[in-house]
C-alpha cells in the first residue's frame, strides 16, 4: 500500500479512537439519582446490649476452669441484634434486623440502606431496638424534614448521647 | 473457542488492518505492548501530579484545580494525559485479554502467563477507580461512595466503609491518605505483577514498534492539549452528585453494580474470575510432542537457549562427563512445540554425510531428518527444476501451492528451518527457494519470523552462507491470504534462475 494511503488510513483510525474516547469519557451522563429526588441514607453501626446477665460461678464450676481463667464472674459476650425500622410519610420504607458482627457475636451490628424520596417535606419516623430482652423499641425519633433536590439526609445513632440523629 | 469462527474472524480483521500499519506496527498485534506504554505514561505523569498534590480532603480539589489553572502547559497537560492514558490502558488491556482468549492463548506453555495476567485486571480497576477518588470533586465523591458501598456488601467485611463518607466531617485526612496510598500502592503491585506476567515470555515486546509508539504518544499529547480534562464541582457530602459526566472506560463497574445490585455484581465477578482462572485447566489443548535433545549431537553451544521464545531450555552438565561441557535440557511444560530451537542448532545442517540426520535438538513430529528426506526425494522426482517454498503451518498454506514446478513445505514455525537447507535445496537442483514466514508481529510463537529474517541476513547464528546467490532465494513475511505476493516471489526467483547460470 502506498504511503499517502497508509497515512490517510491511520489518520482515520486515530480519529475514530479519539472520537470513541471523547464520547465515552463523558457521555451518556449518569443519573445517579432521579431528578427532583432526595436521598435518605440510613447508616447505623452500633453494639446492641449483651444478651444475658453476668453470673457468679460456684466454686465447683470455678474448679473446672483452667487456673488462669478462674474469674469469679462470667459475663456472656453475645449481643442483641439491632432492629431498625423507618417510616416515610407514615409508610414503612425499610426494616432490617442486623446481627452483631464478630465470631462471638459481640461486635457492632451494621445497617446501611439508601431510600430515594421525592424532594419536599416528609414525615420521618425511625425506630430502633438494641436490646432483645426489652419490650418494643428502645429508641424512636419522629421529625418532619424538608429535603431539597439531591439533598442527603443521614440517619445515624449517637452512641454517647444514646439517641437517633438526623444529619 | 480456540479454533472456530470467532478466531478466524479476529485474524481476518487483523489482516485487513495490516496494510495500514506496515512493519509489524498493527495495534491489534501489539495490544500488550500498548497497555505497557500507557502504563508507563501513567507512571510518569502520575509522579508529576503527586508532587503537586495536596493529600488532604480540603486541599486535594484545590491543588488539582491549581494545576490546571496555573500551569495549563505542563501540569494541566500532564493531568489530562494521565486521564486519557488511563482510558487507553483499560481499553488496550481488555482488548489484549480478549485477543489472547479468542486466539486460544491460555493453555499449556502459556498457562502461567495467562494466570498471572488475571490479577492484573483487578489491580487495573482498583488503580483506575481509585484515581477518581483523589480528585475529590463530585465525580470523585460518587466514585468513592459507590466503591465503599460496593465493598461493604462483601460478606467478610464489617460493612462500615461507607460510613466514612456520611458527612463532610466524617472524611478525615487520615482516611483520605489511605485513599492516596491505595492509588500509589496498587499500581506498584500492578508493576510487580507485570514482572511475573512476563517471566515465561522471552524478550517480551514491552513497548510497541517505534512508529506505533510515537503515534500513540503524539495522539495522547494531542488529545490532552485539545480537550483538557477539568474537575467537577468540589465534593459535597450533603448532596448527591446527580447527572454525572462519567468516564465509562474506567468507572463502568460502579453503575453496573448499582444496576445489578451489589450481590449479583460480586457473584458475576467471582464467576468471571473463576472462569478465567480455570481456562488453562479445562481447555488444555491436545498435547503436542515437545523438543527432544540428543546428547551425542549437543555440544552446549547455547544457540537454542537464546532463540527459544518461551525460556523452555536451560543448560546443564553434559552426561558425557567432559569438564565444562554442557547440554540443553527442555522443560516439557514450557515448550511450545515450535521447533525454533531445531532451526538454531548447528547440528541441523543437511550437508552432514550421515544417513540419519540427528539434530542436537529436534521435533519428533517434524524432524530435520524427515525434512531432508522429503526434500531429497521430491527433488529427485521433479521433472523440471522446481522452486522450493518453505512456509509455516500457521501462515499461508504453501503445500497447497504444490505443482510440477513448486515444492511447498509447511513447517511447525518458519523458525524451524535451518538456513543451510536453502543452500542444500539449490545444490540439490531447486531453481530457487522462497522462505515464507508469517506477517510481521504475527508469529504464533512471537519470534520465529524475526529470527528467520536475521539468520537469512547473516546477523544471527546459524546464518545463511554468503556464497549463496542472493537472487536465487527470497525471504517474505506474508499474511495468510497474501497469495499474490507469494506467487510473485516464486516467479521472481524462477526468472532470476532462467536468466542466470547454475550456482
Ligand atoms: C495490565 C495489563 C497487562 C499488560 C500490561 C500485559 C502485557 C503483556 C505483554 C507486554 C505481553 C508480551 C507480548 C509479546 O511479547 O508478544 C503479554 C503477553 C501475554 N498476556 Fe498480557 N498483559 C496484561 C494483562 C493480561 C491479561 C489480563 C491476560 C489474560 C488473562 C493476559 C494474557 C497474556 C498472554 C496469554 C500472553 C502471552 C502471549 C503469547 O505468548 O503469545 N495479559 N502481556
Ligand atoms: S520447541 Fe524449542 S524453541 Fe520452541 S518452545 Fe520448545 S524448546 Fe523452545
Ligand atoms: S543449539 Fe544444539 S548444540 Fe547448541 S545447545 Fe542447543 S541443542 Fe545443543
Amino acid at each position: 500500500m502506498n504511503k499517502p494511503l497508509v497515512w490517510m488510513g491511520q489518520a482515520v483510525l486515530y480519529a475514530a479512537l479519539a472520537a470513541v474516547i471523547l464520547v465515552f469519557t463523558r457521555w451518556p451522563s449518569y443519573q445517579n439519582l432521579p431528578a427532583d429526588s432526595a436521598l435518605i441514607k440510613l447508616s447505623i453501626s452500633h453494639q446492641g446490649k449483651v444478651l444475658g446477665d453476668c453470673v457468679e460461678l460456684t466454686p465447683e464450676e470455678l474448679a473446672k476452669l483452667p487456673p488462669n481463667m478462674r474469674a469469679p464472674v462470667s459475663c456472656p459476650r453475645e449481643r442483641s441484634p439491632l432492629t431498625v425500622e423507618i417510616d416515610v410519610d407514615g409508610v414503612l420504607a425499610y426494616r432490617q434486623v442486623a446481627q452483631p458482627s464478630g465470631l462471638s457475636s459481640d461486635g457492632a451490628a451494621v445497617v446501611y440502606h439508601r431510600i430515594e424520596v421525592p424532594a419536599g417535606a416528609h414525615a420521618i419516623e425511625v425506630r430502633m431496638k438494641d436490646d432483645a430482652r426489652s419490650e418494643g423499641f428502645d429508641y424512636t425519633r419522629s421529625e418532619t424534614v424538608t429535603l431539597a433536590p439531591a439533598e442527603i439526609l443521614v440517619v445515624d445513632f449517637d452512641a454517647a448521647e444514646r439517641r437517633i440523629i438526623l444529619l | 473457542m480456540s479454533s472456530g469462527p470467532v478466531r478466524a474472524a479476529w485474524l481476518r480483521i487483523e489482516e485487513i488492518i495490516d496494510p495500514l500499519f506496515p512493519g509489524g506496527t498493527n495495534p491489534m498485534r501489539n495490544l500488550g505492548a500498548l497497555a505497557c506504554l500507557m502504563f508507563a505514561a501513567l507512571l510518569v505523569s502520575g509522579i508529576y501530579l503527586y508532587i503537586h498534590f495536596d493529600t488532604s480532603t480540603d486541599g486535594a480539589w484545590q491543588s488539582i484545580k491549581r494545576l490546571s489553572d496555573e500551569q495549563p502547559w505542563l501540569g494541566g497537560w500532564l493531568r489530562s494525559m494521565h486521564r486519557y492514558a488511563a482510558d487507553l490502558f483499560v481499553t488496550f488491556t481488555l482488548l489484549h485479554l480478549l485477543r489472547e482468549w479468542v486466539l486460544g492463548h491460555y493453555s499449556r506453555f502459556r498457562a502461567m502467563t495467562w494466570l498471572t495476567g488475571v490479577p492484573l485486571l483487578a489491580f487495573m480497576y482498583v488503580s483506575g477507580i481509585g484515581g477518581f477518588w483523589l480528585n475529590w470533586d463530585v465525580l470523585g465523591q460518587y466514585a468513592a461512595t459507590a466503591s465503599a458501598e460496593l465493598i461493604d456488601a462483601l460478606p467478610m467485611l464489617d460493612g462500615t466503609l461507607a460510613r466514612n463518607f456520611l458527612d463532610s466531617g466524617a472524611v478525615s485526612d487520615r482516611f483520605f491518605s489511605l485513599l492516596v496510598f491505595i492509588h500509589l500502592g496498587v499500581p506498584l503491585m500492578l508493576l510487580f505483577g507485570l514482572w511475573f506476567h512476563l517471566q515465561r515470555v522471552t524478550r517480551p515486546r514491552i513497548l510497541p514498534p517505534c512508529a506505533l509508539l510515537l503515534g500513540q504518544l503524539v495522539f495522547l499529547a494531542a488529545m490532552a492539549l485539545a480537550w483538557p480534562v477539568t474537575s467537577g464541582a468540589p465534593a459535597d457530602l450533603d448532596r448527591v452528585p446527580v447527572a454525572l459526566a462519567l468516564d465509562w472506560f474506567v468507572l463502568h463497574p460502579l453503575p453496573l453494580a448499582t444496576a445489578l445490585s451489589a450481590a449479583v455484581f460480586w457473584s458475576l465477578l467471582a464467576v468471571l474470575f473463576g472462569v478465567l482462572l480455570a481456562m488453562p485447566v479445562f481447555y488444555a489443548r491436545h498435547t503436542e510432542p515437545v523438543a527432544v535433545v540428543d546428547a551425542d549431537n549437543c555440544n552446549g553451544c547455547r544457540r537454542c537457549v537464546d532463540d527459544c521464545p518461551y525460556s523452555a531450555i536451560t543448560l546443564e552438565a553434559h552426561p558425557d562427563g567432559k569438564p565444562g561441557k554442557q547440554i540443553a535440557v527442555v522443560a516439557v511444560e514450557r515448550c511450545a512445540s515450535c521447533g525454533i530451537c531445531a532451526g538454531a542448532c548447528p547440528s541441523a545442517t543437511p550437508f552432514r554425510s550421515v544417513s540419519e540426520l540427528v539434530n542436537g535438538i529436534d521435533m519428533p513430529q517434524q524432524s530435520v531428518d524427515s525434512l531432508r528426506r522429503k526434500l531429497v526425494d521430491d527433488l529427485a522426482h521433479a521433472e523440471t527444476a522446481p522452486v522450493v517454498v518453505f512456509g509455516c503451518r500457521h501462515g499461508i498454506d504453501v503445500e497447497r501451492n504444490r505443482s510440477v514446478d513448486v515444492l511447498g513445505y509447511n513447517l511447525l514455525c518458519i523458525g524451524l528451518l535451518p538456513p543451510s537447507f536453502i543452500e542444500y535445496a539449490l545444490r540439490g537442483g531447486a531453481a530457487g527457494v522462497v522462505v515464507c514466514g508469517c506477517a510481521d508481529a504475527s508469529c504464533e510463537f512471537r519470534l520465529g519470523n524475526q529470527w528467520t529474517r536475521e539468520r537469512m541476513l547473516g546477523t544471527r547464528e546459524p546464518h545463511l552462507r554468503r556464497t549463496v546467490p542472493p537472487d536465487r532465494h527470497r525471504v517474505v513475511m506474508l499474511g495468510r491470504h497474501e497469495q499474490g505476493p507469494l506467487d510473485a516471489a516464486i516467479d521472481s526467483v524462477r526468472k532470476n534462475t532462467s536468466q542466470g547460470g547454475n550456482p
Side-chain angles (χ1 to χ4, degrees), chain B residues 145-214:
Chain B
T145 14
S147 316
E149 285 169 4
L150 195 54
I151 295 169
D152 278 343
L154 283 173
M156 53 277 197
L157 300 176
D158 72 349
T160 55
L161 208 54
R163 287 180 59 76
N164 287 294
F165 301 109
L166 281 189
D167 65 295
S168 310
V171 191
S172 66
D173 283 350
R174 184 151 4 129
F175 183 72
F176 202 71
S177 303
L178 174 74
L179 301 188
V180 178
F181 184 74
I182 291 177
H183 191 57
L184 297 182
V186 177
L188 284 181
M189 283 160 72
L190 206 165
L191 188 63
F192 189 58
L194 194 55
W195 177 77
F196 270 108
H197 184 52
L198 300 176
Q199 277 306 296
R200 292 267 172 109
V201 185
T202 317
R203 299 169 204 252
R205 265 179 297 149
I206 298 177
L207 290 178
C210 208
L212 184 58
L213 184 146
L214 282 178

Side-chain angles (χ1 to χ4, degrees), chain B residues 291 308-310 312-313 330 334-341 363:
Chain B
C308 173
Y310 291 99
I313 313 175
V330 176
R334 294 187 180 195
C335 176
S337 310
C338 63
I340 291 176
C341 49
M363 304 310 296

